[in-house]
PDB file of all heavy atoms in Angstrom:
ATOM      1  N   SER A1145     -15.637  38.927  68.285  1.00 96.00           N
ATOM      2  CA  SER A1145     -14.849  38.336  69.357  1.00 96.00           C
ATOM      3  C   SER A1145     -13.999  37.175  68.840  1.00 96.00           C
ATOM      4  O   SER A1145     -14.496  36.327  68.096  1.00 96.00           O
ATOM      5  CB  SER A1145     -15.794  37.839  70.462  1.00 96.00           C
ATOM      6  OG  SER A1145     -15.092  37.132  71.455  1.00 96.00           O
ATOM      7  N   GLY A1146     -12.733  37.159  69.212  1.00 96.00           N
ATOM      8  CA  GLY A1146     -11.840  36.058  68.837  1.00 96.00           C
ATOM      9  C   GLY A1146     -11.042  36.303  67.577  1.00 96.00           C
ATOM     10  O   GLY A1146     -10.039  35.626  67.342  1.00 96.00           O
ATOM     11  N   GLU A1147     -11.466  37.272  66.735  1.00 96.00           N
ATOM     12  CA  GLU A1147     -10.764  37.502  65.472  1.00 96.00           C
ATOM     13  C   GLU A1147      -9.335  37.954  65.713  1.00 96.00           C
ATOM     14  O   GLU A1147      -8.391  37.404  65.129  1.00 96.00           O
ATOM     15  CB  GLU A1147     -11.500  38.537  64.627  1.00 96.00           C
ATOM     16  CG  GLU A1147     -10.799  38.821  63.293  1.00 96.00           C
ATOM     17  CD  GLU A1147     -11.516  39.867  62.464  1.00 96.00           C
ATOM     18  OE1 GLU A1147     -12.336  40.625  63.024  1.00 96.00           O
ATOM     19  OE2 GLU A1147     -11.267  39.928  61.244  1.00 96.00           O
ATOM     20  N   GLN A1148      -9.145  38.965  66.550  1.00 92.00           N
ATOM     21  CA  GLN A1148      -7.809  39.489  66.821  1.00 92.00           C
ATOM     22  C   GLN A1148      -6.954  38.455  67.549  1.00 92.00           C
ATOM     23  O   GLN A1148      -5.773  38.290  67.263  1.00 92.00           O
ATOM     24  CB  GLN A1148      -7.908  40.779  67.648  1.00 92.00           C
ATOM     25  CG  GLN A1148      -6.601  41.546  67.759  1.00 92.00           C
ATOM     26  CD  GLN A1148      -6.098  42.048  66.410  1.00 92.00           C
ATOM     27  OE1 GLN A1148      -6.898  42.453  65.562  1.00 92.00           O
ATOM     28  NE2 GLN A1148      -4.800  42.000  66.194  1.00 92.00           N
ATOM     29  N   GLU A1149      -7.584  37.759  68.506  1.00 91.00           N
ATOM     30  CA  GLU A1149      -6.857  36.767  69.308  1.00 91.00           C
ATOM     31  C   GLU A1149      -6.279  35.648  68.446  1.00 91.00           C
ATOM     32  O   GLU A1149      -5.169  35.164  68.691  1.00 91.00           O
ATOM     33  CB  GLU A1149      -7.790  36.178  70.369  1.00 91.00           C
ATOM     34  CG  GLU A1149      -7.144  35.132  71.266  1.00 91.00           C
ATOM     35  CD  GLU A1149      -8.125  34.503  72.236  1.00 91.00           C
ATOM     36  OE1 GLU A1149      -9.288  34.959  72.297  1.00 91.00           O
ATOM     37  OE2 GLU A1149      -7.732  33.537  72.920  1.00 91.00           O
ATOM     38  N   TYR A1150      -7.042  35.235  67.414  1.00 92.00           N
ATOM     39  CA  TYR A1150      -6.604  34.100  66.603  1.00 92.00           C
ATOM     40  C   TYR A1150      -6.082  34.502  65.218  1.00 92.00           C
ATOM     41  O   TYR A1150      -5.948  33.658  64.331  1.00 92.00           O
ATOM     42  CB  TYR A1150      -7.748  33.090  66.476  1.00 92.00           C
ATOM     43  CG  TYR A1150      -8.021  32.383  67.781  1.00 92.00           C
ATOM     44  CD1 TYR A1150      -9.096  32.754  68.589  1.00 92.00           C
ATOM     45  CD2 TYR A1150      -7.174  31.382  68.235  1.00 92.00           C
ATOM     46  CE1 TYR A1150      -9.340  32.123  69.801  1.00 92.00           C
ATOM     47  CE2 TYR A1150      -7.399  30.744  69.446  1.00 92.00           C
ATOM     48  CZ  TYR A1150      -8.476  31.119  70.226  1.00 92.00           C
ATOM     49  OH  TYR A1150      -8.689  30.491  71.421  1.00 92.00           O
ATOM     50  N   ALA A1151      -5.773  35.795  65.048  1.00 87.00           N
ATOM     51  CA  ALA A1151      -5.116  36.232  63.808  1.00 87.00           C
ATOM     52  C   ALA A1151      -3.780  35.507  63.690  1.00 87.00           C
ATOM     53  O   ALA A1151      -3.008  35.454  64.655  1.00 87.00           O
ATOM     54  CB  ALA A1151      -4.911  37.737  63.828  1.00 87.00           C
ATOM     55  N   THR A1152      -3.511  34.938  62.521  1.00 82.00           N
ATOM     56  CA  THR A1152      -2.330  34.103  62.212  1.00 82.00           C
ATOM     57  C   THR A1152      -2.376  32.750  62.908  1.00 82.00           C
ATOM     58  O   THR A1152      -1.462  31.946  62.754  1.00 82.00           O
ATOM     59  CB  THR A1152      -0.974  34.782  62.560  1.00 82.00           C
ATOM     60  OG1 THR A1152      -0.781  34.780  63.983  1.00 82.00           O
ATOM     61  CG2 THR A1152      -0.913  36.199  62.022  1.00 82.00           C
ATOM     62  N   ARG A1153      -3.438  32.451  63.654  1.00 87.00           N
ATOM     63  CA  ARG A1153      -3.604  31.142  64.296  1.00 87.00           C
ATOM     64  C   ARG A1153      -4.920  30.514  63.845  1.00 87.00           C
ATOM     65  O   ARG A1153      -5.601  29.841  64.611  1.00 87.00           O
ATOM     66  CB  ARG A1153      -3.564  31.272  65.824  1.00 87.00           C
ATOM     67  CG  ARG A1153      -2.205  31.727  66.339  1.00 87.00           C
ATOM     68  CD  ARG A1153      -2.106  31.579  67.837  1.00 87.00           C
ATOM     69  NE  ARG A1153      -3.002  32.511  68.528  1.00 87.00           N
ATOM     70  CZ  ARG A1153      -3.362  32.385  69.809  1.00 87.00           C
ATOM     71  NH1 ARG A1153      -2.930  31.347  70.510  1.00 87.00           N
ATOM     72  NH2 ARG A1153      -4.154  33.278  70.369  1.00 87.00           N
ATOM     73  N   GLY A1154      -5.237  30.748  62.579  1.00 93.00           N
ATOM     74  CA  GLY A1154      -6.464  30.213  62.000  1.00 93.00           C
ATOM     75  C   GLY A1154      -7.258  31.267  61.275  1.00 93.00           C
ATOM     76  O   GLY A1154      -7.957  30.981  60.302  1.00 93.00           O
ATOM     77  N   VAL A1155      -7.177  32.535  61.734  1.00 94.00           N
ATOM     78  CA  VAL A1155      -7.812  33.644  61.021  1.00 94.00           C
ATOM     79  C   VAL A1155      -6.783  34.216  60.052  1.00 94.00           C
ATOM     80  O   VAL A1155      -5.694  34.626  60.468  1.00 94.00           O
ATOM     81  CB  VAL A1155      -8.293  34.741  61.993  1.00 94.00           C
ATOM     82  CG1 VAL A1155      -8.873  35.917  61.201  1.00 94.00           C
ATOM     83  CG2 VAL A1155      -9.344  34.197  62.938  1.00 94.00           C
ATOM     84  N   ALA A1156      -7.120  34.224  58.767  1.00 91.00           N
ATOM     85  CA  ALA A1156      -6.175  34.646  57.733  1.00 91.00           C
ATOM     86  C   ALA A1156      -6.852  35.593  56.750  1.00 91.00           C
ATOM     87  O   ALA A1156      -8.086  35.655  56.681  1.00 91.00           O
ATOM     88  CB  ALA A1156      -5.626  33.423  57.002  1.00 91.00           C
ATOM     89  N   TYR A1157      -6.034  36.324  55.995  1.00 89.00           N
ATOM     90  CA  TYR A1157      -6.561  37.305  55.045  1.00 89.00           C
ATOM     91  C   TYR A1157      -5.998  37.091  53.639  1.00 89.00           C
ATOM     92  O   TYR A1157      -6.389  37.796  52.716  1.00 89.00           O
ATOM     93  CB  TYR A1157      -6.246  38.729  55.532  1.00 89.00           C
ATOM     94  CG  TYR A1157      -6.855  39.020  56.890  1.00 89.00           C
ATOM     95  CD1 TYR A1157      -6.157  38.718  58.055  1.00 89.00           C
ATOM     96  CD2 TYR A1157      -8.133  39.536  57.005  1.00 89.00           C
ATOM     97  CE1 TYR A1157      -6.721  38.947  59.306  1.00 89.00           C
ATOM     98  CE2 TYR A1157      -8.714  39.772  58.245  1.00 89.00           C
ATOM     99  CZ  TYR A1157      -7.997  39.469  59.400  1.00 89.00           C
ATOM    100  OH  TYR A1157      -8.558  39.680  60.629  1.00 89.00           O
ATOM    101  N   CYS A1158      -5.081  36.152  53.484  1.00 85.00           N
ATOM    102  CA  CYS A1158      -4.478  35.891  52.173  1.00 85.00           C
ATOM    103  C   CYS A1158      -4.577  34.403  51.843  1.00 85.00           C
ATOM    104  O   CYS A1158      -3.758  33.593  52.300  1.00 85.00           O
ATOM    105  CB  CYS A1158      -3.010  36.334  52.161  1.00 85.00           C
ATOM    106  SG  CYS A1158      -2.209  36.049  50.562  1.00 85.00           S
ATOM    107  N   PRO A1159      -5.579  33.991  51.056  1.00 89.00           N
ATOM    108  CA  PRO A1159      -5.731  32.568  50.720  1.00 89.00           C
ATOM    109  C   PRO A1159      -4.578  32.008  49.906  1.00 89.00           C
ATOM    110  O   PRO A1159      -4.244  30.832  50.040  1.00 89.00           O
ATOM    111  CB  PRO A1159      -7.043  32.531  49.930  1.00 89.00           C
ATOM    112  CG  PRO A1159      -7.270  33.936  49.460  1.00 89.00           C
ATOM    113  CD  PRO A1159      -6.661  34.820  50.493  1.00 89.00           C
ATOM    114  N   HIS A1160      -3.933  32.847  49.062  1.00 82.00           N
ATOM    115  CA  HIS A1160      -2.794  32.366  48.267  1.00 82.00           C
ATOM    116  C   HIS A1160      -1.641  31.969  49.181  1.00 82.00           C
ATOM    117  O   HIS A1160      -0.992  30.949  48.978  1.00 82.00           O
ATOM    118  CB  HIS A1160      -2.331  33.459  47.297  1.00 82.00           C
ATOM    119  CG  HIS A1160      -3.305  33.765  46.214  1.00 82.00           C
ATOM    120  ND1 HIS A1160      -3.562  32.899  45.172  1.00 82.00           N
ATOM    121  CD2 HIS A1160      -4.109  34.843  46.019  1.00 82.00           C
ATOM    122  CE1 HIS A1160      -4.465  33.440  44.382  1.00 82.00           C
ATOM    123  NE2 HIS A1160      -4.816  34.611  44.868  1.00 82.00           N
ATOM    124  N   CYS A1161      -1.389  32.799  50.192  1.00 80.00           N
ATOM    125  CA  CYS A1161      -0.248  32.559  51.081  1.00 80.00           C
ATOM    126  C   CYS A1161      -0.512  31.421  52.047  1.00 80.00           C
ATOM    127  O   CYS A1161       0.311  30.519  52.220  1.00 80.00           O
ATOM    128  CB  CYS A1161       0.075  33.822  51.878  1.00 80.00           C
ATOM    129  SG  CYS A1161       0.526  35.238  50.867  1.00 80.00           S
ATOM    130  N   ASP A1162      -1.644  31.494  52.735  1.00 87.00           N
ATOM    131  CA  ASP A1162      -1.874  30.617  53.879  1.00 87.00           C
ATOM    132  C   ASP A1162      -2.710  29.374  53.560  1.00 87.00           C
ATOM    133  O   ASP A1162      -2.793  28.453  54.383  1.00 87.00           O
ATOM    134  CB  ASP A1162      -2.549  31.415  55.000  1.00 87.00           C
ATOM    135  CG  ASP A1162      -1.702  32.612  55.421  1.00 87.00           C
ATOM    136  OD1 ASP A1162      -0.466  32.533  55.274  1.00 87.00           O
ATOM    137  OD2 ASP A1162      -2.265  33.614  55.885  1.00 87.00           O
ATOM    138  N   GLY A1163      -3.335  29.345  52.380  1.00 90.00           N
ATOM    139  CA  GLY A1163      -4.173  28.210  52.008  1.00 90.00           C
ATOM    140  C   GLY A1163      -3.500  26.849  52.149  1.00 90.00           C
ATOM    141  O   GLY A1163      -4.078  25.912  52.732  1.00 90.00           O
ATOM    142  N   PRO A1164      -2.251  26.675  51.652  1.00 89.00           N
ATOM    143  CA  PRO A1164      -1.598  25.356  51.732  1.00 89.00           C
ATOM    144  C   PRO A1164      -1.414  24.835  53.155  1.00 89.00           C
ATOM    145  O   PRO A1164      -1.269  23.621  53.353  1.00 89.00           O
ATOM    146  CB  PRO A1164      -0.237  25.613  51.065  1.00 89.00           C
ATOM    147  CG  PRO A1164      -0.487  26.736  50.124  1.00 89.00           C
ATOM    148  CD  PRO A1164      -1.463  27.616  50.831  1.00 89.00           C
ATOM    149  N   LEU A1165      -1.421  25.711  54.143  1.00 87.00           N
ATOM    150  CA  LEU A1165      -1.254  25.274  55.528  1.00 87.00           C
ATOM    151  C   LEU A1165      -2.505  24.560  56.049  1.00 87.00           C
ATOM    152  O   LEU A1165      -2.464  23.923  57.095  1.00 87.00           O
ATOM    153  CB  LEU A1165      -0.934  26.468  56.430  1.00 87.00           C
ATOM    154  CG  LEU A1165       0.335  27.257  56.077  1.00 87.00           C
ATOM    155  CD1 LEU A1165       0.469  28.464  56.979  1.00 87.00           C
ATOM    156  CD2 LEU A1165       1.565  26.377  56.188  1.00 87.00           C
ATOM    157  N   PHE A1166      -3.614  24.669  55.311  1.00 93.00           N
ATOM    158  CA  PHE A1166      -4.871  24.068  55.746  1.00 93.00           C
ATOM    159  C   PHE A1166      -5.252  22.871  54.869  1.00 93.00           C
ATOM    160  O   PHE A1166      -6.424  22.512  54.756  1.00 93.00           O
ATOM    161  CB  PHE A1166      -5.985  25.116  55.732  1.00 93.00           C
ATOM    162  CG  PHE A1166      -5.769  26.230  56.724  1.00 93.00           C
ATOM    163  CD1 PHE A1166      -4.991  27.330  56.386  1.00 93.00           C
ATOM    164  CD2 PHE A1166      -6.312  26.164  57.990  1.00 93.00           C
ATOM    165  CE1 PHE A1166      -4.776  28.355  57.293  1.00 93.00           C
ATOM    166  CE2 PHE A1166      -6.101  27.179  58.911  1.00 93.00           C
ATOM    167  CZ  PHE A1166      -5.324  28.270  58.569  1.00 93.00           C
ATOM    168  N   LYS A1167      -4.259  22.267  54.264  1.00 92.00           N
ATOM    169  CA  LYS A1167      -4.471  21.111  53.390  1.00 92.00           C
ATOM    170  C   LYS A1167      -5.231  20.009  54.131  1.00 92.00           C
ATOM    171  O   LYS A1167      -4.854  19.613  55.232  1.00 92.00           O
ATOM    172  CB  LYS A1167      -3.125  20.577  52.898  1.00 92.00           C
ATOM    173  CG  LYS A1167      -3.229  19.432  51.908  1.00 92.00           C
ATOM    174  CD  LYS A1167      -1.845  19.001  51.449  1.00 92.00           C
ATOM    175  CE  LYS A1167      -1.932  17.848  50.451  1.00 92.00           C
ATOM    176  NZ  LYS A1167      -0.588  17.426  50.002  1.00 92.00           N
ATOM    177  N   GLY A1168      -6.338  19.551  53.520  1.00 95.00           N
ATOM    178  CA  GLY A1168      -7.108  18.464  54.103  1.00 95.00           C
ATOM    179  C   GLY A1168      -7.954  18.856  55.297  1.00 95.00           C
ATOM    180  O   GLY A1168      -8.532  17.992  55.965  1.00 95.00           O
ATOM    181  N   LYS A1169      -8.080  20.163  55.577  1.00 96.00           N
ATOM    182  CA  LYS A1169      -8.860  20.607  56.731  1.00 96.00           C
ATOM    183  C   LYS A1169     -10.122  21.343  56.277  1.00 96.00           C
ATOM    184  O   LYS A1169     -10.327  21.579  55.087  1.00 96.00           O
ATOM    185  CB  LYS A1169      -8.005  21.530  57.606  1.00 96.00           C
ATOM    186  CG  LYS A1169      -6.779  20.836  58.184  1.00 96.00           C
ATOM    187  CD  LYS A1169      -5.951  21.788  59.026  1.00 96.00           C
ATOM    188  CE  LYS A1169      -4.724  21.083  59.600  1.00 96.00           C
ATOM    189  NZ  LYS A1169      -3.877  21.976  60.419  1.00 96.00           N
ATOM    190  N   LYS A1170     -10.957  21.707  57.236  1.00 98.00           N
ATOM    191  CA  LYS A1170     -12.181  22.437  56.942  1.00 98.00           C
ATOM    192  C   LYS A1170     -11.962  23.918  57.216  1.00 98.00           C
ATOM    193  O   LYS A1170     -11.417  24.286  58.254  1.00 98.00           O
ATOM    194  CB  LYS A1170     -13.335  21.913  57.796  1.00 98.00           C
ATOM    195  CG  LYS A1170     -13.710  20.466  57.488  1.00 98.00           C
ATOM    196  CD  LYS A1170     -14.842  19.987  58.378  1.00 98.00           C
ATOM    197  CE  LYS A1170     -15.207  18.544  58.054  1.00 98.00           C
ATOM    198  NZ  LYS A1170     -16.292  18.043  58.942  1.00 98.00           N
ATOM    199  N   VAL A1171     -12.381  24.772  56.266  1.00 98.00           N
ATOM    200  CA  VAL A1171     -12.202  26.213  56.415  1.00 98.00           C
ATOM    201  C   VAL A1171     -13.471  26.939  55.984  1.00 98.00           C
ATOM    202  O   VAL A1171     -14.343  26.363  55.322  1.00 98.00           O
ATOM    203  CB  VAL A1171     -11.008  26.741  55.585  1.00 98.00           C
ATOM    204  CG1 VAL A1171      -9.724  26.018  55.970  1.00 98.00           C
ATOM    205  CG2 VAL A1171     -11.275  26.613  54.089  1.00 98.00           C
ATOM    206  N   ALA A1172     -13.553  28.223  56.359  1.00 98.00           N
ATOM    207  CA  ALA A1172     -14.632  29.097  55.902  1.00 98.00           C
ATOM    208  C   ALA A1172     -14.031  30.311  55.227  1.00 98.00           C
ATOM    209  O   ALA A1172     -12.922  30.738  55.546  1.00 98.00           O
ATOM    210  CB  ALA A1172     -15.506  29.520  57.074  1.00 98.00           C
ATOM    211  N   VAL A1173     -14.770  30.885  54.286  1.00 98.00           N
ATOM    212  CA  VAL A1173     -14.428  32.172  53.672  1.00 98.00           C
ATOM    213  C   VAL A1173     -15.555  33.128  54.010  1.00 98.00           C
ATOM    214  O   VAL A1173     -16.733  32.810  53.813  1.00 98.00           O
ATOM    215  CB  VAL A1173     -14.272  32.051  52.144  1.00 98.00           C
ATOM    216  CG1 VAL A1173     -14.101  33.426  51.525  1.00 98.00           C
ATOM    217  CG2 VAL A1173     -13.089  31.166  51.790  1.00 98.00           C
ATOM    218  N   ILE A1174     -15.210  34.299  54.543  1.00 98.00           N
ATOM    219  CA  ILE A1174     -16.212  35.299  54.889  1.00 98.00           C
ATOM    220  C   ILE A1174     -16.258  36.334  53.761  1.00 98.00           C
ATOM    221  O   ILE A1174     -15.278  37.000  53.475  1.00 98.00           O
ATOM    222  CB  ILE A1174     -15.873  36.016  56.213  1.00 98.00           C
ATOM    223  CG1 ILE A1174     -15.535  34.993  57.308  1.00 98.00           C
ATOM    224  CG2 ILE A1174     -17.020  36.917  56.637  1.00 98.00           C
ATOM    225  CD1 ILE A1174     -16.661  34.045  57.639  1.00 98.00           C
ATOM    226  N   GLY A1175     -17.407  36.452  53.103  1.00 97.00           N
ATOM    227  CA  GLY A1175     -17.552  37.439  52.039  1.00 97.00           C
ATOM    228  C   GLY A1175     -17.949  36.819  50.717  1.00 97.00           C
ATOM    229  O   GLY A1175     -17.292  35.879  50.248  1.00 97.00           O
ATOM    230  N   GLY A1176     -19.004  37.370  50.092  1.00 96.00           N
ATOM    231  CA  GLY A1176     -19.511  36.803  48.842  1.00 96.00           C
ATOM    232  C   GLY A1176     -19.276  37.650  47.616  1.00 96.00           C
ATOM    233  O   GLY A1176     -19.946  37.474  46.601  1.00 96.00           O
ATOM    234  N   GLY A1177     -18.297  38.572  47.701  1.00 95.00           N
ATOM    235  CA  GLY A1177     -17.907  39.330  46.515  1.00 95.00           C
ATOM    236  C   GLY A1177     -16.933  38.524  45.680  1.00 95.00           C
ATOM    237  O   GLY A1177     -16.694  37.343  45.937  1.00 95.00           O
ATOM    238  N   ASN A1178     -16.351  39.170  44.656  1.00 93.00           N
ATOM    239  CA  ASN A1178     -15.403  38.468  43.791  1.00 93.00           C
ATOM    240  C   ASN A1178     -14.231  37.881  44.567  1.00 93.00           C
ATOM    241  O   ASN A1178     -13.822  36.744  44.334  1.00 93.00           O
ATOM    242  CB  ASN A1178     -14.880  39.413  42.709  1.00 93.00           C
ATOM    243  CG  ASN A1178     -15.881  39.610  41.577  1.00 93.00           C
ATOM    244  OD1 ASN A1178     -16.891  38.921  41.512  1.00 93.00           O
ATOM    245  ND2 ASN A1178     -15.606  40.549  40.707  1.00 93.00           N
ATOM    246  N   SER A1179     -13.689  38.665  45.511  1.00 90.00           N
ATOM    247  CA  SER A1179     -12.529  38.197  46.271  1.00 90.00           C
ATOM    248  C   SER A1179     -12.872  36.958  47.090  1.00 90.00           C
ATOM    249  O   SER A1179     -12.106  35.989  47.127  1.00 90.00           O
ATOM    250  CB  SER A1179     -12.021  39.298  47.207  1.00 90.00           C
ATOM    251  OG  SER A1179     -11.553  40.400  46.478  1.00 90.00           O
ATOM    252  N   GLY A1180     -14.047  36.982  47.744  1.00 96.00           N
ATOM    253  CA  GLY A1180     -14.448  35.853  48.572  1.00 96.00           C
ATOM    254  C   GLY A1180     -14.697  34.594  47.765  1.00 96.00           C
ATOM    255  O   GLY A1180     -14.256  33.501  48.133  1.00 96.00           O
ATOM    256  N   VAL A1181     -15.409  34.731  46.653  1.00 97.00           N
ATOM    257  CA  VAL A1181     -15.725  33.561  45.828  1.00 97.00           C
ATOM    258  C   VAL A1181     -14.461  33.009  45.169  1.00 97.00           C
ATOM    259  O   VAL A1181     -14.267  31.787  45.098  1.00 97.00           O
ATOM    260  CB  VAL A1181     -16.798  33.914  44.777  1.00 97.00           C
ATOM    261  CG1 VAL A1181     -17.019  32.750  43.815  1.00 97.00           C
ATOM    262  CG2 VAL A1181     -18.112  34.277  45.470  1.00 97.00           C
ATOM    263  N   GLU A1182     -13.588  33.891  44.691  1.00 94.00           N
ATOM    264  CA  GLU A1182     -12.315  33.429  44.116  1.00 94.00           C
ATOM    265  C   GLU A1182     -11.492  32.683  45.162  1.00 94.00           C
ATOM    266  O   GLU A1182     -10.876  31.648  44.867  1.00 94.00           O
ATOM    267  CB  GLU A1182     -11.523  34.611  43.565  1.00 94.00           C
ATOM    268  CG  GLU A1182     -12.078  35.170  42.266  1.00 94.00           C
ATOM    269  CD  GLU A1182     -11.361  36.437  41.821  1.00 94.00           C
ATOM    270  OE1 GLU A1182     -10.558  36.974  42.620  1.00 94.00           O
ATOM    271  OE2 GLU A1182     -11.599  36.885  40.692  1.00 94.00           O
ATOM    272  N   ALA A1183     -11.475  33.187  46.387  1.00 95.00           N
ATOM    273  CA  ALA A1183     -10.739  32.525  47.467  1.00 95.00           C
ATOM    274  C   ALA A1183     -11.316  31.146  47.746  1.00 95.00           C
ATOM    275  O   ALA A1183     -10.575  30.169  47.920  1.00 95.00           O
ATOM    276  CB  ALA A1183     -10.784  33.385  48.735  1.00 95.00           C
ATOM    277  N   ALA A1184     -12.643  31.041  47.785  1.00 97.00           N
ATOM    278  CA  ALA A1184     -13.297  29.756  48.050  1.00 97.00           C
ATOM    279  C   ALA A1184     -12.981  28.743  46.949  1.00 97.00           C
ATOM    280  O   ALA A1184     -12.730  27.561  47.224  1.00 97.00           O
ATOM    281  CB  ALA A1184     -14.805  29.957  48.180  1.00 97.00           C
ATOM    282  N   ILE A1185     -12.981  29.212  45.692  1.00 96.00           N
ATOM    283  CA  ILE A1185     -12.662  28.318  44.564  1.00 96.00           C
ATOM    284  C   ILE A1185     -11.230  27.798  44.684  1.00 96.00           C
ATOM    285  O   ILE A1185     -10.959  26.613  44.523  1.00 96.00           O
ATOM    286  CB  ILE A1185     -12.865  29.059  43.226  1.00 96.00           C
ATOM    287  CG1 ILE A1185     -14.357  29.339  43.000  1.00 96.00           C
ATOM    288  CG2 ILE A1185     -12.290  28.259  42.066  1.00 96.00           C
ATOM    289  CD1 ILE A1185     -14.643  30.290  41.837  1.00 96.00           C
ATOM    290  N   ASP A1186     -10.287  28.714  44.956  1.00 94.00           N
ATOM    291  CA  ASP A1186      -8.888  28.315  45.088  1.00 94.00           C
ATOM    292  C   ASP A1186      -8.689  27.344  46.252  1.00 94.00           C
ATOM    293  O   ASP A1186      -7.991  26.332  46.135  1.00 94.00           O
ATOM    294  CB  ASP A1186      -7.999  29.543  45.304  1.00 94.00           C
ATOM    295  CG  ASP A1186      -7.903  30.411  44.054  1.00 94.00           C
ATOM    296  OD1 ASP A1186      -8.260  29.908  42.975  1.00 94.00           O
ATOM    297  OD2 ASP A1186      -7.480  31.572  44.170  1.00 94.00           O
TER     298      ASP A1186
END
């Protein structure tokens, strides 16, 4: 619930593209595979 409603309004799928928009804020990464951990590091 809420994922579709807030897509592009906080729910994102590309950390390279959208990461800078969250500068200085708190975020979560869903997923503990290589993609998720790499995203969290970046």
Side-chain angles (χ1 to χ4, degrees):
S1145 174
E1147 180 181 18
Q1148 191 63 37
E1149 180 184 354
Y1150 290 102
T1152 74
R1153 295 192 292 163
V1155 177
Y1157 300 88
C1158 180
H1160 292 289
C1161 299
D1162 302 332
L1165 301 176
F1166 295 85
K1167 184 178 180 180
K1169 297 179 180 179
K1170 295 179 180 178
V1171 303
V1173 173
I1174 311 299
N1178 282 351
S1179 296
V1181 174
E1182 286 174 350
I1185 292 169
D1186 290 344

